[in-house]
Amino acid sequence: VAQLSGVSRATVSYVLNATPNQSISEETRRRVLDAAEELGYTPFAPARALRAGRSEVVLYLIPEWPIGPNLAQLVEVLTLNLAQAGLTLVVHAHPRSARPVGDLWKTIAPAVVINDQVLSAGEEEAARQAGIRVVVPGFAIGGGTFADFQREAGRRQAEHLAACGHTRLGYALPHDERLAAFAEPRLEGVRQVCARLGLGEPDTRVVPLHSAAAADTVEHWHRAAPRVSGVCAYNDEVALALLAGLREQRLTAPGDLAVIGMDDIPAAALAFPPLTTLALGMPELGGQLATAVADTLDGKPVPPGPGPDAIRIVRRNTT
Amino acid sequence: VAQLSGVSRATVSYVLNATPNQSISEETRRRVLDAAEELGYTPFAPARALRAGRSEVVLYLIPEWPIGPNLAQLVEVLTLNLAQAGLTLVVHAHPRSARPVGDLWKTIAPAVVINDQVLSAGEEEAARQAGIRVVVPGFAIGGGTFADFQREAGRRQAEHLAACGHTRLGYALPHDERLAAFAEPRLEGVRQVCARLGLGEPDTRVVPLHSAAAADTVEHWHRAAPRVSGVCAYNDEVALALLAGLREQRLTAPGDLAVIGMDDIPAAALAFPPLTTLALGMPELGGQLATAVADTLDGKPVPPGPGPDAIRIVRRNTT
DNA sequence: TTGTAAGCGTTATCAC
DNA sequence: GTGATAACGCTTACAA
């Protein structure tokens, strides 16, 4: 580009980056711009990164659990929002048995790492020391940390069931052990509500995604004394399994057992009967996360997250 | 590292990269390795990329459609497989209204671009000119191209219904227009089978994910003359909507209308009645894609894809 | 077997 | 207002 426009590489750099405190004659500017256009010039990111010590990349580390529809949507929203801020989102799913990612940031050199339950506190601190900004998806709802948020979600489920008049609750854990990081705090939230309302411990069972297994659990709850009349499912899929189990037992929701799911996946609305669930408002959460990333980069304080409205009960026919 | 081990940077480089045709004394090697270990040294990727002209990154461009469970799984499998080959998978979801990605490869400088329906032929050629390898998810099933594969999937659905004795088929298109790239070839596959078997054109309808809308469509098919007795749904969610529509009309599957979905999402097995569907074998497809990427990088010819077994009918109770 | 030096594309500094 | 020049961290001829 410098050759074609007959100026030095430095000048080209000034023009293309609109460097402040540099007065460039309009004519030179035009020449450079035209030349760049003509050559289809695009700055070479690795070189930029080498010079700057970091890239324009945001590394989103997602942990070793299945990528569900919610996370997928979050990624979508994030990609879009960050693109508007000139940042490229790099998602690194971290499946179990892949090599450790503790220092993946060293080799990628992103401007920001979004640490979603992947980096330990120590690793996170190491990254910070190296000048990498670290953002934790701090949904301000429920307190600020990941677990706070999950707990709050569990609380909402339980509160809904309690408001419907249920006095003994069950909790349906997922069979997939990788989901423990979600399931534990959610269950804890349910426990908190039960304790606060004097309802007694929730009756917790692991529910695989098979109708036969779910049927057993449903029967167990139905025969328990006192009877479990309402159950919080870890997510919509588990809830769907419960509904299948109910059908197998010729029981019905919400009469014999009320069920509330979580995530509001498309299948929830189409279930039989249509499933009451908790919508997690990924567009809001994603937008907030994008803002947090951009603000962190600018050195601004991270803004408070979205309001509690980002978690909504979607009431259908199972409660 | 060079300082600590008391050798030159070049030697360090030789050791760490196991450069061929360089004989390094075992003792030196050890010293360097130990020093690197001690310092927690990790090569700075952008610098490497600058030197090499490309990075160890594989850029997976996925188009502007919703990220469903299948794609999510594919990403997971790919990440894992590529990590084993020392490659880092970068997924760039390309939501509509984000800035164009036609030359995203210029700024990322990946070693390989996996072009999944994003880059036009021209853009793809431009990337190739620039020395970037481009891999197209060429599921060898059905022919090799993306559309071939989708067509084959549609064919399998239709063949299954035909084998069940249905003589007039319906096709349920998704409401989301972004899915046309999938839906068109799938529908075409169904058409091919109908033509080959002399079944007449499939009766095609758009089915939004609401039971009321689906109920209308179901009624239409049920009253059509000749009656539509079996329908291929674009995917499991659409199929679930159809089942909900059937319930609303007090009709049953497969008696009044047989339904076959596609994807085998978890909810399919838990539906009422359990949904017959097509499983797409993402682990196989992902593994094949990873191999294709690695082989392309090594200059080897791309191996044939997985066998037709990667598409399997999962027969449940709706056909 | 190891060290030296050049250079990848960019940008900051400083001189012109 | 513009242009040399150096430096970022790494690889690789080539020289020792």
Side-chain angles (χ1 to χ4, degrees), chain A residues 92-108:
Chain A
H92 187 85
H94 172 50
R96 115 215 256 86
S97 84
R99 51 180 180 188
V101 288
D103 50 5
L104 187 57
W105 55 266
K106 279 190 186 169
T107 93
I108 304 276

Side-chain angles (χ1 to χ4, degrees), chain B:
Chain B
V1 175
Q3 264 188 2
L4 181 59
S5 52
V7 300
S8 78
R9 293 155 20 132
T11 310
V12 172
S13 180
Y14 292 146
V15 173
L16 264 34
N17 296 306
T19 312
N21 304 332
Q22 284 289 339
S23 20
I24 307 273
S25 72
E26 190 51 37
E27 192 210 324
T28 310
R29 229 176 67 81
R30 277 246 60 79
R31 270 221 314 274
V32 172
L33 256 26
D34 288 349
E37 176 77 16
E38 187 174 330
L39 296 170
Y41 170 85
T42 317
F44 188 61
R48 281 195 126 146
L50 173 59
R51 189 70 238 275
R54 70 157 49 111
S55 56
E56 292 289 79
V57 165
V58 176
L59 177 63
Y60 185 9
L61 294 174
I62 62 184
E64 48 175 87
W65 27 264
I67 304 177
N70 266 305
L71 184 58
Q73 196 191 355
L74 183 61
V75 167
E76 238 170 319
V77 172
L78 255 187
T79 301
L80 188 53
N81 282 295
L82 291 178
Q84 275 159 5
L87 298 169
T88 304
L89 181 66
V90 166
V91 177
H92 186 85
H94 173 50
R96 110 214 264 84
S97 83
R99 51 182 181 184
V101 287
D103 51 5
L104 186 57
W105 56 266
K106 280 190 186 168
T107 93
I108 304 277
V112 181
V113 168
I114 303 177
N115 175 25
D116 200 345
Q117 303 292 296
V118 173
L119 263 28
S120 68
E123 288 168 334
E124 197 179 303
E125 188 49 36
R128 282 221 169 80
Q129 292 292 338
I132 307 220
R133 325 284 181 126
V134 179
V135 172
V136 177
F139 318 89
I141 303 162
T145 73
F146 169 82
D148 288 333
F149 178 74
Q150 301 299 330
R151 252 191 302 273
E152 175 66 15
R155 266 184 240 125
R156 298 282 187 98
Q157 285 185 308
E159 281 162 2
H160 175 74
L161 289 181
C164 292
H166 299 278
T167 52
R168 176 126 162 82
L169 303 188
Y171 193 87
L173 284 169
H175 186 63
D176 191 329
E177 286 163 14
R178 295 176 292 177
L179 298 171
F182 288 74
E184 291 297 337
R186 288 183 189 180
L187 172 53
E188 201 187 318
V190 173
R191 282 212 181 94
Q192 290 175 346
V193 171
C194 288
R196 175 153 53 81
L197 268 34
L199 263 33
E201 272 287 286
D203 188 341
T204 301
R205 308 268 295 191
V206 171
V207 179
L209 297 180
H210 300 113
S211 57
D216 284 350
T217 304
V218 165
E219 198 196 358
H220 161 85
W221 277 325
H222 194 62
R223 294 157 98 102
R227 188 167 77 86
V228 170
S229 63
V231 35
C232 305
Y234 162 74
N235 68 4
D236 284 348
E237 285 168 2
V238 172
L240 257 20
L242 253 20
L243 296 186
L246 279 168
R247 284 192 298 266
E248 196 156 300
Q249 296 284 347
R250 311 218 171 279
L251 262 24
T252 59
D256 296 304
L257 187 69
V259 176
I260 180 169
M262 186 175 307
D263 283 354
D264 193 25
I265 63 176
L270 304 168
F272 178 61
L275 181 68
T276 294
T277 187
L278 225 54
L280 258 24
M282 284 300 155
E284 291 98 316
L285 297 175
Q288 192 267 330
L289 189 47
T291 310
V293 168
D295 286 356
T296 300
L297 254 187
D298 294 347
K300 289 190 229 163
V302 173
D309 294 349
I311 301 184
R312 291 182 306 278
I313 294 277
V314 180
R315 181 149 197 191
R316 297 206 182 93
N317 305 0
T318 59
T319 60

Side-chain angles (χ1 to χ4, degrees), chain A residues 70-89:
Chain A
N70 267 306
L71 184 58
Q73 195 189 356
L74 184 61
V75 167
E76 237 172 317
V77 172
L78 255 187
T79 301
L80 188 52
N81 282 294
L82 291 178
Q84 275 159 4
L87 298 168
T88 304
L89 182 66

